[in-house]
Amino acid sequence: QVQLVESGGGLVQAGGSLRLSCVAAGRTFSSYVMAWFRQAPGKEREFVVLISRTGGTTVYADSVKGRFTISRDNAKNTVYLQMTGLKPEDTAVYYCGAGPNLRNDPGGYTYWGQGTQVTVSS
């Protein structure tokens, strides 16, 4: 079992920045691929970015390339999402997920956090 807790969401103006964190409880954090997804009201959960177990591989959705950066610290059981150049269309609940493989679909992730709200005003 892995328990994930996200934090760092909030309200920011367009063009601003936020850093999300996702802390995992458990001693097997480094054995999981970690990813961030987001879900806006009335929409399906959408892939944002993933990072491999060692951090050597990252995959970004086209919509966030060049603006968002994922990183992980296995010693702290934490994955981060640095978001810059935020746009109103980035408004959503952001979820971190843990899974066994490098997949960009929600079905590939076994464990999820409760989500953190990000709201970008225009």
Side-chain angles (χ1 to χ4, degrees):
Q1 283 279 0
V2 176
Q3 292 181 319
L4 304 174
V5 179
E6 302 98 333
S7 62
L11 173 64
V12 64
Q13 290 188 331
S17 300
L18 283 174
R19 188 172 88 151
L20 306 184
S21 299
C22 172
V23 180
R27 293 180 289 178
T28 59
F29 176 75
S30 62
S31 67
Y32 290 98
V33 172
M34 299 297 298
W36 289 95
F37 286 75
R38 64 188 182 187
Q39 190 165 16
K43 295 188 176 182
E44 294 186 350
R45 193 164 294 192
E46 174 191 29
F47 170 75
V48 176
V49 60
L50 65 81
I51 188 167
S52 62
R53 294 170 183 80
T54 62
T57 297
T58 56
V59 178
Y60 291 86
D62 288 344
S63 58
V64 305
K65 277 181 185 176
R67 299 189 299 122
F68 290 11
T69 303
I70 191 171
S71 60
R72 68 189 296 165
D73 185 337
N74 287 342
K76 295 183 178 179
N77 282 11
T78 303
V79 61
Y80 304 98
L81 182 62
Q82 179 68 50
M83 305 186 293
T84 63
L86 283 161
K87 305 175 181 180
E89 51 263 45
D90 294 318
T91 295
V93 177
Y94 283 70
Y95 298 90
C96 68
N101 299 307
L102 296 169
R103 289 177 57 173
N104 64 359
D105 61 298
Y109 293 83
T110 309
Y111 303 105
W112 293 94
Q114 83 291 347
T116 185
Q117 177 71 47
V118 171
T119 303
V120 185
S121 63
S122 56

